Amino acid sequence: TTHVWYTGVLHHAMVADYSAYGIDHDDPDVVKGRAGSPYAIKDYYNVDPDLATDPAQRLEEFQSLIQRTHAHGMKVIIDIVPNHVARHYRSVNAPVGVRDLGADDDRSVVYARNNNFYYIPGSRFQVPLWPTHFQVLGGEAHPLADAEFDEDPAKWTGNGSRKAQPAFDDWYETVKINFGVRPDGSKDFSTLPEHYRSARPDEHHKFWSRQDVPNSWLKFRDIVDFWLAQGVDGFRYDMAEMVPVEFWSYLNSHIKQRNPDALLIAEVYNPDEYRNYIQLGLMDVLYDKVDFYDTLKAVMQGHAPAGALLAKQASVADIEAHMLHFLENHDEQRIASPEFVGDAQRGKPALLVSATISRSPTLLYFGQDVGEAGALDCGFGKPSRTTIFDYCGVPAHQRWMNAGAFDGGALSAQELALRDFHGRVLRLSAHSSVMTGAYLPVSASAGQTEPGDSVLAFSRWDQQNRLLIVAELKGQAIADLRLELPATLTGAWQLPDGDYVLNEQLYGASQLELAVRGGIGHIQTQLPALHAGVYALEQIP
């Protein structure tokens, strides 16, 4: 592990009473759940008081956590959510001279370049109409739970709704930030010349130093400066594609001047925009969800052939090192939940494929490595995902914590084995030189009476190592698996015609026999369900 992404660190809107610490009450009518959404930031200059032993010392406690993380050889990432903030934003810890978002806005107009928010003049905000099955705080009495929230004029909602009464499915707990994009979508700032796709961050920084930028750009520059000064080593940007790419060029080039090694991760879901956000927006890493993750999930659930992953990988071959691979995160269903595949063991071959098919970094979500199922119903948000809106346990992770011993002592044998597997795969992915080497798919087929679309095989190699990765992704035992290594691969591996042995590397429990004839490699073997193997070619005599 190189970085720890600490989620929910920033002070966000919640229902708990922290008025003794100078914190305003939040209205539960515009808070999702009791704990509130970590992506409805209320104060960008402080830490969520729920996380602190002593809320009065919450920032100091987080600084101590940063220091401990660094002492263990890892770096710290936190969220920045530029697209939206909580409806009731008020900082109690902003540096001297930093004004709150919206404090200087002209609220008589829908849009002004230096306004931080968009407004609906002449209309007061109205709380959404709740579905019949939903009650604020589950029906619990609260003095502010009255289906009203004082916001006049109403602001645009975080997902872009321009209605004074957003829908329940809108991001009604948030308001959208104005980055100088007019209501018609045109940009009220300088565009970035196309040749900056190949420019260094310092060149981007020099370009923007000559431009007049909207006020919200300056506000977020101040925010990242504050957290960099605390020792934070990078940021994960929520819904980055809802903010113009020029802003990211401005902000990220500024960050890289402060810390050239800062890791900048962006949540972007439109594959057509990937290269814009990497090349023009200076993002280090983007979520590979819509292509790779969604396809991998479909394969695991039996809705797509394993080979479909090869096309998805090929589509980002030029930017693969910038694409973040994952099997779980706070937005996605847990592998062990019935809504996904209902068995954490099904994630093992998927992890192997995801972590080794490319140079992409891998995200491990907490509790994934011990098979957390997200089965608890904790209020706002239903089972299959671990809620981010309410106070809820993560039972498998808590068994690893083992009442504060943090030794996994309460885990089952199956959970311990799953965690061991994750460690073996991630160590290979992180430390083997072959993971920055070459890649080539390998054809996999089964006997005529067997399904042939559940196995994925590919090769990774460099000057020192030659690996073959073989994974069965659908839980189907294969009695007659046939792998064919093309001449381009046997040539790259410098294999003359002959017979060879490949030894499994994760556990050392199996071998594959490779026969090269006429420059084509052939492997015929049996494969158990959910097999996940990494095979290394023995040294050529």
Side-chain angles (χ1 to χ4, degrees):
T1 301
T2 59
H3 295 71
V4 182
W5 168 21
Y6 291 117
T7 60
V9 167
L10 299 176
H11 183 185
H12 50 270
M14 66 180 70
V15 176
D17 182 356
Y18 285 106
S19 56
Y21 302 94
I23 299 171
D24 291 350
H25 289 293
D26 289 307
D27 190 324
D29 292 302
V30 289
V31 175
K32 288 182 176 176
R34 292 170 173 80
S37 169
Y39 300 100
I41 306 301
K42 176 178 177 173
D43 183 353
Y44 257 115
Y45 292 98
N46 221 322
V47 172
D48 186 71
D50 272 348
L51 301 181
T53 301
D54 178 2
Q57 298 293 313
R58 56 194 184 277
L59 183 58
E60 290 79 4
E61 289 184 17
F62 183 59
Q63 290 168 338
S64 177
L65 176 60
I66 294 173
Q67 293 166 6
R68 295 197 304 276
T69 307
H70 288 166
H72 283 275
M74 296 178 290
K75 296 183 178 181
V76 170
I77 298 171
I78 65 170
D79 289 290
I80 296 291
V81 192
N83 179 69
H84 50 272
V85 293
R87 295 210 90 95
H88 177 49
Y89 183 91
R90 179 175 177 268
S91 176
V92 298
N93 195 48
V96 175
V98 172
R99 300 273 290 167
D100 267 356
L101 288 160
D104 301 313
D105 282 4
D106 177 359
R107 304 183 184 194
S108 67
V109 295
V110 173
Y111 166 85
R113 184 175 186 266
N114 287 319
N115 275 0
N116 298 136
F117 303 123
Y118 299 91
Y119 295 91
I120 310 172
S123 298
R124 298 178 64 89
F125 173 78
Q126 297 179 62
V127 171
L129 297 174
W130 309 124
T132 55
H133 68 274
F134 179 82
Q135 290 181 298
V136 174
L137 300 181
E140 174 185 316
H142 189 284
L144 295 178
D146 55 5
E148 294 185 3
F149 177 72
D150 186 17
E151 181 181 288
D152 188 15
K155 303 180 183 76
W156 288 13
T157 294
N159 64 324
S161 171
R162 306 182 184 190
K163 298 178 180 178
Q165 185 177 36
F168 179 75
D169 290 334
D170 289 326
W171 305 347
Y172 63 84
E173 79 280 20
T174 67
V175 292
K176 186 167 180 62
I177 300 290
N178 164 26
F179 283 97
V181 178
R182 301 182 185 94
D184 65 3
S186 61
K187 297 176 178 180
D188 203 357
F189 47 79
S190 300
T191 58
L192 196 64
E194 186 68 14
H195 69 268
Y196 275 83
R197 286 185 184 277
S198 58
R200 301 185 309 270
D202 63 303
E203 295 174 294
H204 284 247
H205 186 260
K206 185 176 181 180
F207 173 84
W208 292 113
S209 69
R210 300 190 297 264
Q211 310 299 322
D212 175 40
V213 300
N215 181 263
S216 293
W217 296 30
L218 304 176
K219 286 282 200 296
F220 278 89
R221 180 203 63 192
D222 292 341
I223 289 165
V224 297
D225 278 349
F226 176 84
W227 291 106
L228 289 170
Q230 309 306 313
V232 166
D233 304 291
F235 303 102
R236 178 265 187 190
Y237 297 130
D238 188 74
M239 296 308 299
E241 67 185 304
M242 297 183 74
V243 178
V245 72
E246 290 86 353
F247 164 75
W248 294 118
S249 168
Y250 167 84
L251 187 70
N252 291 341
S253 64
H254 173 79
I255 291 171
K256 293 294 188 180
Q257 300 310 298
R258 296 282 307 274
N259 179 5
D261 296 323
L263 180 61
L264 308 173
I265 301 175
E267 187 182 21
V268 175
Y269 295 138
N270 182 358
D272 292 338
E273 292 293 330
Y274 286 170
R275 289 159 186 82
N276 288 335
Y277 280 83
I278 293 168
Q279 298 163 0
L280 295 176
L282 300 179
M283 296 298 183
D284 293 313
V285 182
L286 308 181
Y287 274 37
D288 199 347
K289 169 189 157 51
V290 173
D291 280 339
F292 199 83
Y293 167 83
D294 282 352
T295 304
L296 183 56
K297 183 176 182 179
V299 172
M300 295 169 70
Q301 293 179 326
H303 305 315
L309 289 163
L310 300 177
K312 297 301 183 182
Q313 173 57 31
S315 72
V316 294
D318 60 317
I319 54 172
E320 66 172 26
H322 298 281
M323 304 307 296
L324 179 68
H325 282 189
F326 56 85
L327 298 183
E328 293 183 349
N329 64 45
H330 66 267
D331 287 319
E332 306 301 339
Q333 293 169 327
R334 294 284 193 171
I335 296 167
S337 69
E339 293 82 356
F340 196 147
V341 288
D343 180 3
Q345 300 301 313
R346 296 279 298 275
K348 292 168 69 174
L351 174 71
L352 178 63
V353 168
S354 182
T356 63
I357 197 170
S358 72
R359 292 176 291 153
S360 300
T362 296
L363 166 69
L364 178 68
Y365 188 52
F366 86 113
Q368 172 188 325
D369 55 326
V370 288
E372 172 58 35
L376 301 182
D377 186 347
C378 297
F380 200 100
K382 296 302 177 185
S384 82
R385 296 172 178 83
T386 295
T387 182
I388 59 171
F389 304 112
D390 269 308
Y391 303 105
C392 193
V394 187
H397 181 67
Q398 290 169 318
R399 288 194 289 276
W400 174 80
M401 292 168 61
N402 193 22
F406 299 97
D407 60 2
L411 291 173
S412 68
Q414 189 176 52
E415 289 168 339
L416 285 168
L418 182 65
R419 189 168 190 270
D420 175 71
F421 177 84
H422 277 75
R424 291 171 189 260
V425 170
L426 294 179
R427 281 193 294 273
L428 171 72
S429 177
H431 299 304
S432 175
S433 63
V434 77
M435 289 299 125
T436 58
Y439 154 85
L440 195 69
V442 170
S443 174
S445 61
Q448 294 182 356
T449 61
E450 295 179 324
D453 65 357
S454 69
V455 176
L456 195 73
F458 53 88
S459 56
R460 301 300 308 274
W461 75 94
D462 60 12
Q463 290 184 344
Q464 289 76 39
N465 305 285
R466 300 168 180 85
L467 298 185
L468 183 66
I469 286 86
V470 183
E472 196 288 309
L473 293 159
K474 296 186 179 181
Q476 302 167 348
I478 308 295
D480 183 17
L481 176 70
R482 300 166 190 177
L483 304 176
E484 182 177 293
L485 281 60
T488 50
L489 180 58
T490 59
W493 283 13
Q494 300 178 348
L495 299 182
D497 282 7
D499 297 320
Y500 305 91
V501 172
L502 295 95
N503 289 318
E504 206 284 316
Q505 299 296 293
L506 295 180
Y507 294 96
S510 61
Q511 290 183 332
L512 293 177
E513 295 180 356
L514 168 65
V516 180
R517 303 289 185 267
I520 306 297
H522 301 275
I523 296 173
Q524 188 168 356
T525 188
Q526 297 179 350
L527 212 62
L530 302 179
H531 179 76
V534 178
Y535 296 89
L537 184 72
E538 286 290 279
Q539 285 293 101
I540 302 172

